[in-house]
């Protein structure tokens, strides 16, 4: 039980941070009109739309989508997710967040949205 609780703390926090970054991208795609009218919300398409508009680099886009997919696996196939994959994802997320946040804030400022 103790080991399970430690695992859940790590995977739960990883999922929460990744989910919030993905939601920021989805919200921004709606706010800026990058999601075409009538198109169903799609996290990957919204993230890609931000990349195409200059909000994210290709590397940031790739990392965020990879992290989102790992978190989806943690939700639906958690028994088959390797601990090394989770460990690598935590390190990838820690590396991604500062540059993602800076790019996101700078890009939204171009649309007149000030988050400071």
């Amino acid at each position: 039980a103790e080991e399970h609780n430690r695992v859940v703390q790590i995977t739960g926090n990883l999922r929460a941070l990744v989910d919030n970054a993905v939601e920021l991208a989805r919200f921004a795609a709606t706010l800026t009109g990058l999601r075409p009218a009538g198109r169903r919300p799609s996290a990957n398409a919204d993230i890609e739309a931000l990349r195409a508009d200059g909000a994210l680099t290709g590397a940031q886009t790739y990392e965020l989508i990879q992290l989102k997919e790992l978190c989806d696996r943690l939700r639906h196939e958690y028994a088959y997710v390797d601990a090394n994959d989770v460990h690598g994802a935590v390190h990838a997320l820690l590396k991604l967040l500062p540059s993602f946040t800076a790019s996101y804030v700078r890009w939204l400022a171009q649309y007149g949205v000030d988050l400071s």
Side-chain angles (χ1 to χ4, degrees), residues 48-109:
E48 178 57 35
L50 266 65
R51 185 211 54 80
D53 198 53
L56 304 174
T57 66
Q60 290 168 326
T61 301
Y62 176 80
E63 281 298 328
L64 185 55
I65 289 173
Q66 293 302 305
L67 288 164
K68 182 189 95 39
E69 290 175 0
L70 178 82
C71 288
D72 288 346
R73 288 181 50 220
L74 284 171
R75 272 185 201 80
H76 305 294
E77 306 168 15
Y78 60 90
Y80 304 106
V81 177
D82 188 83
N84 289 329
D85 291 342
V86 173
H87 185 260
V90 168
H91 284 281
L93 179 62
L94 290 173
K95 182 179 176 186
L96 172 67
L97 282 179
S99 67
F100 170 84
T101 304
S103 296
Y104 184 85
V105 169
R106 197 170 37 250
W107 171 75
L108 277 179

Side-chain angles (χ1 to χ4, degrees), residues 3-69:
E3 186 173 328
H4 173 75
N5 288 340
R6 285 196 313 262
V7 169
V8 170
Q9 284 178 331
I10 293 168
T11 58
N13 287 326
L14 172 67
R15 285 182 17 212
L17 288 169
V18 171
D19 288 349
N20 281 306
V22 169
E23 282 305 309
L24 285 171
R26 293 179 70 188
F27 175 75
T30 301
L31 178 70
T32 59
L34 293 177
R35 181 183 305 126
R39 190 192 87 206
R40 247 181 72 197
S42 164
N44 288 3
D46 290 343
I47 293 166
E48 178 57 35
L50 266 65
R51 185 211 54 80
D53 198 53
L56 304 174
T57 66
Q60 290 168 326
T61 301
Y62 176 80
E63 281 298 328
L64 185 55
I65 289 173
Q66 293 302 305
L67 288 164
K68 182 189 95 39
E69 290 175 0

